[in-house]
Amino acid sequence: MDGDERVEHPDEEDMLRGHMKSGIALVRAGRTRLMLALPRHRDKIPCTHRMAFQSLCRIYEVTALMRDELRKELPCREELLAEYEELCRGIEADAVAMLDGKTSDRWI
């Protein structure tokens, strides 16, 4: 590719919409992904059925799918990837807090 060619990346909103409509059981996939990311909480995750936790699992799955897709892009959209990496870490921290019995206005 020479210096004048630009790579057109898919629109972030379209990517998110595609993941939300993918047919994947997002809550279950998000739970599984959290179990891998949070091994110390692996036993609690399948037993937590609060609506707020289920929503967190769904959002985590979509966010992690976006992060994974952005990691594969060439050239990499580094700022956007960093944003999704940070979002994943924040969701993981919220999951740990929920599993440890803490509360937050964000989870209502």
Side-chain angles (χ1 to χ4, degrees):
M1 175 178 350
D2 64 31
D4 293 338
E5 291 183 44
R6 287 188 45 150
V7 174
E8 290 294 322
H9 291 295
D11 181 66
E12 179 185 3
E13 193 173 319
D14 290 339
M15 291 168 70
L16 283 168
R17 200 175 0 263
H19 289 307
M20 293 295 288
K21 294 179 179 182
S22 68
I24 296 172
L26 296 173
V27 173
R28 183 176 7 184
R31 279 181 190 277
T32 301
R33 203 181 280 263
L34 279 170
M35 289 171 64
L36 292 170
L38 307 171
R40 290 191 351 217
H41 294 83
R42 197 168 282 155
D43 294 340
K44 286 184 180 179
I45 292 171
C47 305
T48 305
H49 298 287
R50 289 180 42 208
M51 186 63 73
F53 190 77
Q54 290 182 29
S55 293
L56 183 135
C57 291
R58 180 180 300 109
I59 294 303
Y60 185 65
E61 179 62 15
V62 171
T63 304
L65 285 168
M66 281 291 295
R67 178 201 59 201
D68 294 349
E69 201 165 316
L70 289 167
R71 284 177 175 169
K72 297 175 194 173
E73 286 186 347
L74 291 175
C76 180
R77 290 186 274 180
E78 292 179 22
E79 279 185 35
L80 190 57
L81 175 57
E83 184 179 327
Y84 277 90
E85 295 277 4
E86 186 176 327
L87 285 169
C88 284
R89 286 190 301 272
I91 295 168
E92 290 164 5
D94 282 347
V96 168
M98 277 187 189
L99 293 166
D100 288 344
K102 297 178 181 157
T103 59
S104 170
D105 292 339
R106 292 188 315 236
W107 308 334
I108 296 175

